[in-house]
Amino acid sequence: MLAYLMAGEYASASELARAASVTPATASGHLGKLLDARFVVCEPRGRHRYYRLADAEVAHALEALALVAERDAHDAAWAHPQRARLRLARCCYGHLAGQLGVAVFDALQRGGRLASTSSGFELTDSGRAWLERLGLIPSRPNSRRRFAYRCLDWSERRDHLGGQLADELYQHFTSKGWLRRASGRAVEVTPNGQQELLPQLNDDAA
């Protein structure tokens, strides 16, 4: 159920029961314990209750646990056809993960587009110019959350970008029609994304 919520969206108890292949009563019991542990939060809407992960720290902890659980069988686990789409691109609590998420972070680190700070990264002038060429004018850093930082990727065992900037990038890519959500956490690159986004990630001079 926690893995299902890694997409960063709300889900009902019945949806989570189906995702975990358990009865609604069993799911409700587990959700009560997860609420008590502050792993999830609940939002009542009319007669229904919807759940999501409590915050990004819980999502990062889950990814780290998944890495540990697969440390002796990582390659075999990700070679499974059902995981191929997740490995290419997926949503990680509001930002982009997988091979594409790592590629976006790599592109941002080239050409001095990011500068290190005590809490992660800030955009440089060249970084803002690169994003503007992609059509994104990033928001000012929000004092209530970190702007940009390293987030260890479950499938790639390398870093992708997390934080406010990463969320804005994912939202921008989907709004441009370059990415679209598939089933579960999987994200697909559209034909427009292949033509307009991928060349920007692979071109050092972009």
Side-chain angles (χ1 to χ4, degrees):
M1 292 191 294
L2 291 172
Y4 187 87
L5 293 173
M6 284 288 288
E9 300 171 349
Y10 282 95
S12 66
S14 59
E15 288 177 289
L16 293 169
R18 288 193 296 272
S21 300
V22 298
T23 66
T26 298
S28 294
H30 286 305
L31 286 168
K33 294 177 181 178
L34 292 171
L35 280 168
D36 290 343
R38 296 189 296 177
F39 286 176
V40 301
V41 294
C42 178
E43 180 175 319
R45 297 182 185 176
R47 297 170 53 191
H48 301 284
R49 297 169 57 136
Y50 293 86
Y51 300 85
R52 66 170 174 82
L53 294 185
D55 52 38
E57 290 184 358
V58 174
H60 297 157
L62 291 172
E63 289 261 322
L65 285 171
L67 279 166
V68 172
E70 294 179 352
R71 59 187 168 187
D72 295 326
H74 179 266
D75 292 339
W78 286 101
H80 196 284
Q82 291 184 350
R83 283 196 172 185
R85 290 191 304 166
L86 281 179
R87 184 165 199 176
L88 175 62
R90 64 184 180 274
C91 185
C92 176
Y93 201 70
H95 60 259
L96 190 62
Q99 293 169 339
L100 186 58
V102 170
V104 170
F105 188 35
D106 285 347
L108 277 166
Q109 292 183 93
R110 291 196 295 268
R113 293 165 182 157
L114 291 176
S116 296
T117 69
S118 60
S119 60
F121 300 100
E122 63 182 8
L123 281 170
T124 63
D125 290 342
S126 63
R128 291 189 187 88
W130 185 70
L131 292 178
E132 288 175 6
R133 287 195 290 273
L134 291 174
L136 173 64
I137 299 178
S139 302
R140 288 178 171 273
N142 187 329
S143 60
R144 292 176 297 178
R145 62 178 304 198
R146 294 168 70 186
F147 179 68
Y149 57 88
R150 296 178 183 274
C151 183
L152 185 60
D153 196 276
W154 174 26
S155 63
E156 303 314 295
R157 296 191 170 187
R158 295 180 55 206
D159 293 320
H160 60 247
L161 188 70
Q164 175 188 331
L165 177 60
D167 289 4
E168 291 183 10
L169 279 165
Y170 175 65
Q171 293 166 11
H172 179 68
F173 294 161
T174 54
S175 68
K176 293 284 286 185
W178 296 341
L179 303 179
R180 61 179 170 227
R181 282 289 296 277
S183 59
R185 295 173 59 194
V187 174
E188 296 177 343
V189 182
T190 67
N192 283 343
Q194 293 174 0
Q195 293 180 0
E196 300 179 35
L197 174 61
L198 297 189
Q200 297 287 340
L201 303 182
N202 297 322
D203 185 357
D204 289 344

